[in-house]
Each structure stands twice: as structure tokens, then as C-alpha cells.
């Protein structure tokens, strides 16, 4: 990027290209990162027994990552761009989950977005809401010690460690928009 007299020349990217890049990058991050999350959860000493998550359990994780990232779009873009990015992500998820009917996947996306919004409202921090969402969707309470299990609350240390790991699954719009202009 060239700065001259305080002006910078940003590379232009169309909304359609950005939508493809956004969706495909999130899929790639989920694909590469989910095994790390599985290892962290399954080997975590905060649980009395391993939850035994498997790579086939990626669907819920994928939905949470997309819901969390889509939750932030309106902070950076106007409604038209948000709609295009959201619709593109929806189409990509529908293609990825081709074994399910399209309407079922659309309903699932809406449900996960509502569920994530509830978790975000409780925690008001994106990564913590993601961690709580994973804790709930994967029924991780079932593997905790008796005290926390009875309280139906995640171990706060586990939750923070998971939230720290999940920060790697959040699209860095600030960095991206410092280099690109969406047209």
C-alpha cells in the first residue's frame, strides 16, 4: 500500500469476490483449526472424562464460526454489503452440507444465528460467546465435575482458554479493510 501526502491507495475488491473469499477462508480456517479444538477439548483436564469429539462433529462448530463472524458484519459494512456477504455464506454452507435439504440448512443457519446472538447478549464478548456456544452445543457440561455440572456452568478457566483459541477463528476486518476497499 502506498502512502503519499496522507492518502493511501487501497486495492479494490468487489463485494462478490469478497463474499467468496470470506466464505472460503472461513471454511479453510474451520477445516484446519477444528482438529486443534477437538484435541484441546478431548484432552482437557477440566473434564472428568473425555467428550471424545470427532472430526465428523464439525457441523455445529462450522455453524458457530459462521454465526459469530456474520454477527459482526454490520460493524464494518452497510446493509447491502452485509446482505451479500451473509447470502454468499449461506449458499456456501448449503453446498458444504449438501446431504441435508436446502431448507433444513437455511433453518439451521437462522437457528444458530439466533442462538449465537443470545450467547453474545449474555457475555458481550465475541470469543466468549463462541466458547459458550460450543460448550452448550457439544453438551460439555456432561463431562464436568459434579459441582459445575450441577450449576450447569462451564469451568471459567476452560471457557477462557477455549475463547483464546477461538480468537483465531474471527475474521480480522480491521486489517483487511486497511488494505482493501470494497466496491
Amino acid at each position: 500500500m502506498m502512502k503519499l501526502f496522507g492518502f493511501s491507495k487501497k486495492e479494490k475488491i468487489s463485494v462478490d469476490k469478497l463474499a467468496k473469499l470470506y466464505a472460503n477462508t472461513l471454511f479453510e480456517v474451520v477445516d484446519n483449526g477444528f482438529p486443534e479444538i477437538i484435541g484441546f477439548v478431548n484432552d482437557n483436564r477440566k473434564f472428568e472424562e473425555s467428550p471424545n469429539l470427532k472430526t465428523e462433529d464439525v457441523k455445529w462448530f462450522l455453524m458457530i464460526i459462521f454465526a459469530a463472524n456474520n454477527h459482526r458484519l454490520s460493524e464494518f459494512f452497510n446493509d447491502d454489503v452485509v446482505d451479500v456477504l451473509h447470502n454468499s455464506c449461506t449458499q456456501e454452507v448449503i453446498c458444504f452440507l449438501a446431504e441435508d435439504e436446502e431448507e433444513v440448512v437455511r433453518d439451521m443457519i437462522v437457528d444458530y444465528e439466533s442462538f449465537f446472538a443470545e450467547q453474545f447478549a449474555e457475555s458481550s464478548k465475541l470469543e466468549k460467546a463462541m466458547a459458550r456456544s460450543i460448550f452448550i452445543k457439544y453438551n460439555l457440561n456432561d463431562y464436568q465435575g459434579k459441582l459445575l455440572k450441577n450449576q450447569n456452568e462451564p469451568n471459567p478457566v476452560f471457557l477462557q482458554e477455549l475463547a483464546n483459541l477461538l480468537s483465531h477463528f474471527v475474521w480480522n476486518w480491521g486489517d483487511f479493510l486497511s488494505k482493501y476497499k470494497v466496491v
Side-chain angles (χ1 to χ4, degrees):
M1 180 165 44
M2 182 179 87
K3 274 198 161 187
L4 183 63
F5 304 114
F7 296 102
S8 62
K9 182 151 174 91
K10 295 180 181 181
E11 189 173 334
K12 293 179 182 177
I13 186 168
S14 71
V15 175
D16 293 334
K17 281 186 180 179
L18 174 58
K20 279 283 189 203
L21 175 68
Y22 174 65
N24 290 331
T25 301
L26 288 179
F27 273 117
E28 184 179 332
V29 168
V30 167
D31 192 41
N32 292 332
F34 188 57
E36 296 293 325
I37 299 299
I38 289 172
F40 170 76
V41 171
N42 286 344
D43 299 336
N44 201 290
R45 295 182 183 193
K46 308 289 185 289
F47 296 122
E48 289 193 347
E49 62 181 274
S50 174
N52 291 317
L53 299 182
K54 297 172 182 49
T55 54
E56 302 84 53
D57 298 330
V58 72
K59 187 187 292 187
W60 290 345
F61 184 73
L62 173 75
M63 298 303 275
I64 291 166
I65 298 304
F66 272 93
N69 279 285
N70 286 344
H71 186 78
R72 300 179 63 227
L73 291 176
S74 61
E75 295 174 26
F76 300 95
F77 301 106
N78 66 37
D79 290 344
D80 294 337
V81 174
V82 169
D83 288 344
V84 171
L85 292 174
H86 187 269
N87 291 338
S88 176
C89 284
T90 299
Q91 282 307 121
E92 294 297 324
V93 170
I94 288 169
C95 291
F96 181 77
L97 301 175
E99 72 275 0
D100 295 326
E101 290 183 38
E102 185 174 328
E103 280 307 308
V104 171
V105 175
R106 283 188 192 283
D107 290 345
M108 190 169 32
I109 290 168
V110 170
D111 291 346
Y112 269 84
E113 288 175 341
S114 296
F115 169 73
F116 182 80
E118 290 171 13
Q119 299 310 309
F120 184 78
E122 280 187 35
S123 63
S124 70
K125 185 150 174 32
L126 191 75
E127 293 84 353
K128 191 171 180 183
M130 292 165 72
R132 286 189 62 78
S133 297
I134 288 169
F135 184 84
I136 293 166
K137 287 295 182 181
Y138 286 100
N139 297 314
L140 298 181
N141 191 53
D142 295 346
Y143 304 96
Q144 294 193 108
K146 194 174 187 174
L147 177 65
L148 288 171
K149 187 187 284 189
N150 289 340
Q151 293 175 346
N152 197 23
E153 280 297 319
N155 180 310
V157 174
F158 169 79
L159 195 68
Q160 185 58 52
E161 290 172 351
L162 182 58
N164 290 343
L165 288 174
L166 292 171
S167 68
H168 299 287
F169 294 87
V170 177
W171 186 282
N172 186 341
W173 285 113
D175 186 48
F176 183 84
L177 293 173
S178 72
K179 297 173 186 157
Y180 292 92
K181 180 179 179 170
V182 180
V183 292

